[in-house]
Amino acid sequence: MRHVTEPSASIPGLLKKLSRRAEWAGGAPIANILMARTLAQPDVISLAAGFVEHNSLPVEWVEEAFRRIWANRSHALAALQYGTTSGYLPLREAILERLRQADGLSAAEHRASVDQMVITAGSNQLLYLLAEALLDPGDIVLCGAPSYFVFLGLIQSLGARTVGVATDYQGLIPEALEDRLDELERHGELDRVKAIYVASYFDNPTGVSLAADRRAALVEIAHRWSRRHRIYIIEDWAYRDLRYEGEDIRSVWTHDVSGETVIVTGSFSKSFSPGLRVGWGLLPRSLLEPVLALKGHLDFGSANFNQVVLATVLQNGWFDKHVTRLRAIYHEKVATIVSALESYLPPILDVHYEAPKGGLYVWVRLPEEIDTGVDGPLFQAAVNEGVLYVPGEYCFPAEGEPVRRHYLRLSFAMPDCDRLRCGVERLSRALRAVVQCD
Ligand SMILES: Cc1ncc(COP(=O)(O)O)c(C=O)c1O
């Protein structure tokens, strides 16, 4: 008879036998570190973590939704049961209808169908599933330089590569995308390119929206370069609902006549409640089966109850009321942080930022000699002053464009206006200490 012995920590090396995936994942992602620090040190003003305004979280609307669900016992029982892998049908229908309205399409023009809509545990889960469905180790996703750093990290955690494309204050530059594809082809790597990632509304970290006249160009380029296989565009709408100025722009997705190139991902985290963890995606038909199969292995459906709550909130028009209120709150915060930056930042410094028209971030460029990284002098000085920011270097893809170390991302969502002003004042004291000006 064979004896099975328990693995023992005393056998050298045994505990180090992790998978390659675990090694690629590296240490704790920077987002987790910043979030943990924000929660652990309430006296520190966090302009770093991507949290939303705490006091405006929709307690009353969620309570009202509970009441509605509880009023009908069979509805309540169904809500507490497992759901389906693709998600709660009334929620998927409600989201699809919102998409149609957001893009100003008639029912006849809207060619998406509800079976292409998938609900996930936050849109991050969908981004992960898409990456799993599309990428083998060594494959490439083209991303703006800079881009949403959690996305960059998740691609790398799968052993795939992020290659940067230049951006400006109108988002990803189509000519630069074309040049990057051309370069990859010359290096025999075009077959490795599987997707282009773009957060098309109030990007994280820049707050910039992709210009209307670049949207069709992006789809045209993806089509034209899809030679031996399709190059998908992942259009991330995480911040589309949070517009404080100007008119909404039609999505990149509307330019995809085939319906097979653009994947849309969206989220209720920023516009309603991140605690509910409800995200969604509108997928080309070719990706439905693989993504649902992967999700089936992972969790066979995200929290059903949360989806029923959100469907109730949407169906009763409470979501729109909440978003209207949020827009007013964040609009005031944008004005506060921008005026604090104008008042407090040392005037002798060459600092640049654009006042965002939506989203939750201000992207600040400092003089090139100021390293904003966690091991640089500014970050330490900021921690000493009691303020946190996201160092810009995390937001740059690993290849393609240079990693720039003199940017930082400020998030204005969580602190109230007084703390926002105070946070910027602390940051400017840290800056003065580093450049030694008065
Ligand atoms: C651009 C972007 N996409 C996706 C997400 C993921 O959000 P969630 O998983 O909460 O839906 C975030 C979160 O900060 C984001 O900034």
Side-chain angles (χ1 to χ4, degrees):
M1 188 182 145
R2 284 178 58 201
H3 292 274
V4 179
T5 46
E6 284 290 308
S8 156
S10 64
I11 301 176
L14 194 63
L15 293 179
K16 289 194 185 135
K17 285 271 175 220
L18 295 173
S19 68
R20 286 173 74 197
R21 289 273 292 272
E23 278 168 27
W24 289 327
I30 180 73
N32 298 15
I33 298 168
L34 292 171
M35 282 185 177
R37 247 174 138 155
T38 301
L39 292 172
Q41 295 170 275
D43 48 321
V44 168
I45 298 178
S46 180
L47 302 177
F51 284 58
V52 299
E53 232 260 349
H54 197 67
N55 292 322
S56 65
L57 284 166
V59 174
E60 289 74 21
W61 293 131
V62 173
E63 195 178 347
E64 191 57 37
F66 266 60
R67 226 174 279 142
R68 293 279 170 107
I69 297 164
W70 261 216
N72 176 332
R73 185 166 170 81
S74 70
H75 191 36
L77 287 170
L80 291 171
Q81 188 53 275
Y82 277 120
T84 61
T85 306
S86 47
Y88 184 53
L89 184 61
L91 177 61
R92 288 155 58 214
E93 286 169 345
I95 297 171
L96 197 66
E97 177 56 18
R98 282 189 69 79
L99 304 198
R100 188 186 67 71
Q101 288 174 8
D103 276 330
L105 299 173
S106 67
E109 287 168 318
H110 201 227
R111 38 191 171 68
S113 109
V114 76
D115 55 285
Q116 292 171 262
M117 175 67 62
V118 178
I119 307 294
T120 50
S123 56
N124 227 73
Q125 186 189 55
L126 180 58
L127 292 172
Y128 197 90
L129 292 170
L130 288 168
E132 281 197 310
L134 293 175
L135 305 173
D136 286 315
D139 282 350
I140 292 172
V141 180
L142 296 173
C143 308
S147 277
Y148 170 42
F149 59 91
V150 177
F151 181 74
L152 299 177
L154 85 80
I155 298 301
Q156 277 150 235
S157 80
L158 294 170
R161 296 157 60 195
T162 54
V163 175
V165 176
T167 62
D168 60 17
Y169 284 100
Q170 302 198 68
L172 203 88
I173 303 170
E175 295 75 21
L177 176 63
E178 188 98 44
D179 289 349
R180 184 66 68 223
L181 284 159
D182 194 49
E183 181 191 81
L184 288 164
E185 185 184 36
R186 276 187 277 110
H187 288 94
E189 297 200 296
L190 186 60
D191 283 354
R192 284 297 200 174
V193 180
K194 296 293 184 64
I196 301 161
Y197 170 75
V198 58
S200 50
Y201 299 90
F202 317 115
D203 185 18
N204 174 3
T206 63
V208 161
S209 295
L210 182 69
D213 60 358
R214 292 186 178 181
R215 295 178 175 231
L218 216 63
V219 176
E220 191 277 320
I221 292 171
H223 270 170
R224 188 155 36 79
W225 285 87
S226 294
R227 294 189 188 150
R228 300 215 313 206
H229 64 261
R230 192 180 301 284
I231 298 177
Y232 289 95
I233 295 176
I234 302 173
E235 185 185 19
D236 184 334
W237 287 12
Y239 299 92
R240 184 169 188 180
D241 286 313
L242 297 182
R243 171 181 288 279
Y244 321 128
E245 268 180 55
E247 293 296 311
D248 200 3
I249 319 171
R250 274 198 172 185
S251 60
V252 176
W253 179 82
T254 55
H255 298 282
D256 176 19
V257 180
S258 74
E260 272 302 321
T261 292
V262 181
I263 305 158
V264 182
T265 67
S267 173
F268 289 99
S269 290
K270 311 297 178 179
S271 53
F272 198 71
S273 160
L276 289 175
R277 301 301 293 129
V278 178
W280 54 266
L282 187 63
L283 307 189
R285 292 195 181 279
S286 54
L287 285 178
L288 266 176
E289 209 178 293
V291 166
L292 288 176
L294 287 164
K295 186 162 169 58
H297 290 299
L298 185 71
D299 62 8
F300 34 94
S302 302
N304 190 40
F305 185 74
N306 297 6
Q307 298 181 49
V308 177
V309 167
L310 250 165
T312 310
V313 166
L314 284 167
Q315 284 160 346
N316 287 284
W318 304 332
F319 178 77
D320 288 319
K321 289 188 179 154
H322 182 69
V323 166
T324 304
R325 182 162 163 258
L326 276 188
R327 286 190 183 134
I329 291 170
Y330 288 137
H331 199 181
E332 190 191 346
K333 290 193 178 201
V334 174
T336 304
I337 194 165
V338 168
S339 90
L341 286 166
E342 275 165 18
S343 326
Y344 293 125
L345 285 187
I348 58 156
L349 285 187
D350 175 23
V351 177
H352 186 82
Y353 51 86
E354 300 271 314
K357 295 189 171 69
L360 302 179
Y361 311 105
V362 183
W363 180 237
V364 182
R365 188 190 72 211
L366 296 176
E368 216 155 325
E369 61 278 11
I370 301 182
D371 179 351
T372 59
V374 281
D375 298 322
L378 182 64
F379 194 82
Q380 199 45 57
V383 169
N384 294 344
E385 289 289 346
V387 63
L388 291 177
Y389 61 81
V390 171
E393 63 181 310
Y394 296 121
C395 305
F396 287 87
E399 298 171 51
E401 292 294 306
V403 173
R404 305 196 189 275
R405 300 186 201 287
H406 58 295
Y407 283 82
L408 49 90
R409 189 199 77 177
L410 302 177
S411 165
F412 53 81
M414 198 172 67
D416 62 27
C417 286
D418 287 342
R419 277 173 73 81
L420 264 183
R421 263 187 292 272
C422 181
V424 174
E425 194 179 0
R426 290 180 185 184
L427 178 64
S428 99
R429 277 205 298 273
L431 261 172
R432 281 167 205 271
V434 168
V435 295
Q436 285 161 359
C437 61
D438 309 309

